[in-house]
Amino acid sequence: MNQKLNTHDENKIMQNGQLDQIYIGDSREILQCFGRHSVDLSVWSPPYFVGKSYEQDLSFEDWQSMLSSVIEQHSRVIRPGGFLAINIADILCFEDPSMPRFQAENVCGKTNSVTRRQVMAMQAEYPTANRIELAQKLGCSEQTVQRRIDGNNVRGGKTKPSTKIVLTGCMVAEWASAAGFYLYDQRIWHKDPCWLNSRWHSNSYRAIDEFEHLYIFWQPGTVQYDRNRLSRDEWSEWGSRGVWSIPSVRRNDRHEAEFPEELVRRVIKLFSPVDGVVLDPFVGSGTTTAVAKSLRRHWLGIDANEEYVHVARNRTNLAS
């Protein structure tokens, strides 16, 4: 039975330990209804604050408040010796109005032969002419005149703020520490490169987007260490490896930010016992719950989007 938490009776059912459910609602509220120390592993990928449709109404402060609150709630529901696994990427293009314009002189890739000397000479000859008028006289664009006069190329256009990188791991680790967790381990998910963030032919030295971070936090207590959770090959190929090379989901038909089943499969096999309880408070299309079910774990999911919950329930119910 899957349900939506919206009555006192349903909250009471949740407190009594009913498992294998996906709930509709705000994780910050629903997690308060979970039993104390009722979850062995919580594994999830939160909104990344990169402009997806389901996070467009969030300010950066709202986003920080949401994630820190969800992490704080986990301190009560994760059992001693259990784990909290958060898959997240750094924010690679965070707009900062206070940041100076990124300036770049394109040394070898000028598409127009007009030189700075020519522009300055024309400007001296017509001192009252604006950039548009100078461009018309030189037979080039107004932007070319601006670049030659200022000696730079403005990244991101003339109106948008400049962008910088924001490291999310620092914030997540701080919030988890405040909730009583300790950063036990980390893995790098090496995925397919995303060329949209940094095209090789642009005026930028920025790297392409091709990895995300997986942070594993420990709730103090005795950890059940079972070497038999993985085969010998699994231990050598990825169980003890810090970098996991896993292709991204090719088509995000179910969810615009779906992560691969193999990623969550590895986390669940490593950090939860068979018949243990696996939670995803941002369940999305149900990747975590479906994989947990296939690996003989109990599962719990939460999502605020009713459409996604419907997809997640159907997908999980069909999993075997």
Side-chain angles (χ1 to χ4, degrees):
M1 182 177 74
N2 298 306
Q3 49 189 293
K4 180 176 181 178
L5 283 182
N6 55 12
T7 68
H8 175 74
D9 290 340
E10 287 174 334
N11 290 351
K12 188 174 181 180
I13 289 173
M14 189 64 222
Q15 290 174 335
N16 289 338
Q18 189 164 352
L19 300 174
D20 304 333
Q21 308 292 321
I22 297 178
Y23 296 92
I24 303 171
D26 191 318
S27 294
R28 291 167 289 188
E29 299 174 0
I30 295 179
L31 283 171
Q32 297 179 36
C33 304
F34 280 40
R36 182 175 177 82
H37 298 164
S38 57
V39 173
D40 295 278
L41 167 68
S42 181
V43 52
W44 40 280
S45 187
Y48 287 2
F49 197 74
V50 292
K52 299 293 185 181
S53 62
Y54 50 81
E55 61 184 11
Q56 288 182 344
D57 294 333
L58 291 176
S59 68
F60 186 53
E61 291 72 24
D62 292 337
W63 176 81
Q64 291 176 299
S65 175
M66 178 181 67
L67 262 64
S68 60
S69 297
V70 170
I71 291 173
E72 181 182 11
Q73 289 293 331
H74 277 77
S75 64
R76 188 181 61 82
V77 301
I78 298 292
R79 68 166 181 81
F83 294 99
L84 165 62
I86 302 177
N87 177 77
I88 194 168
D90 294 323
I91 304 173
L92 301 182
C93 294
F94 183 85
E95 292 188 352
D96 184 354
S98 68
M99 179 180 173
R101 291 286 183 180
F102 183 87
Q103 299 182 352
E105 181 182 359
N106 194 346
V107 175
C108 60
K110 290 183 172 68
T111 58
N112 192 291
S113 61
V114 173
T115 66
R116 186 173 190 274
R117 179 176 295 181
Q118 289 174 309
V119 173
M120 301 305 290
M122 188 65 70
Q123 191 175 41
E125 185 176 353
Y126 300 96
T128 61
N130 58 34
R131 287 203 298 255
I132 296 177
E133 292 169 336
L134 290 174
Q136 291 173 343
K137 294 179 182 299
L138 289 163
C140 64
S141 68
E142 180 265 341
Q143 187 178 39
T144 295
V145 171
Q146 183 267 330
R147 289 173 176 172
R148 301 300 187 263
I149 292 175
D150 296 338
N152 70 80
N153 180 21
V154 178
R155 176 183 172 85
K158 302 176 183 178
T159 58
K160 291 185 178 180
S162 293
T163 64
K164 64 183 182 182
I165 293 177
V166 172
L167 301 178
T168 56
C170 302
M171 294 182 285
V172 170
E174 182 178 345
W175 297 329
S177 178
F181 290 95
Y182 293 85
L183 185 55
Y184 171 80
D185 196 12
Q186 63 175 339
R187 306 293 168 107
I188 301 296
W189 168 29
H190 178 227
K191 58 183 183 178
D192 300 329
C194 179
W195 292 94
L196 292 178
N197 282 310
S198 183
R199 301 186 179 188
W200 68 270
H201 57 271
S202 69
N203 294 331
S204 171
Y205 292 127
R206 285 184 171 178
I208 58 175
D209 175 17
E210 58 181 340
F211 67 90
E212 296 184 9
H213 299 276
L214 183 63
Y215 299 105
I216 312 296
F217 298 97
W218 170 65
Q219 175 88 297
T222 302
V223 176
Q224 295 181 0
Y225 180 73
D226 183 0
R227 187 76 179 181
N228 292 324
R229 286 183 188 172
L230 305 185
S231 67
R232 178 182 293 272
D233 288 342
E234 286 175 324
W235 278 112
S236 63
E237 291 172 5
W238 57 265
S240 301
R241 305 296 294 273
V243 178
W244 290 350
S245 294
I246 302 171
S248 304
V249 175
R250 300 299 184 186
R251 297 180 61 184
N252 291 307
D253 295 335
R254 291 176 290 212
H255 191 282
E256 60 185 302
E258 185 175 334
F259 61 1
E261 291 189 1
E262 177 61 18
L263 181 67
V264 73
R265 184 184 76 85
R266 294 183 183 186
V267 177
I268 291 174
K269 291 196 71 174
L270 264 177
F271 296 106
S272 72
V274 174
D275 294 328
V277 179
V278 175
L279 164 68
D280 187 341
F282 297 96
V283 75
S285 62
T287 302
T288 298
T289 51
V291 173
K293 180 182 178 182
S294 70
L295 294 175
R296 295 193 296 129
R297 271 70 167 175
H298 292 291
W299 42 272
L300 291 166
I302 308 169
D303 205 283
N305 187 301
E306 190 165 356
E307 181 179 348
Y308 287 151
V309 168
H310 178 71
V311 172
R313 287 172 176 173
N314 288 339
R315 180 179 178 184
T316 305
N317 289 334
L318 292 173
S320 58

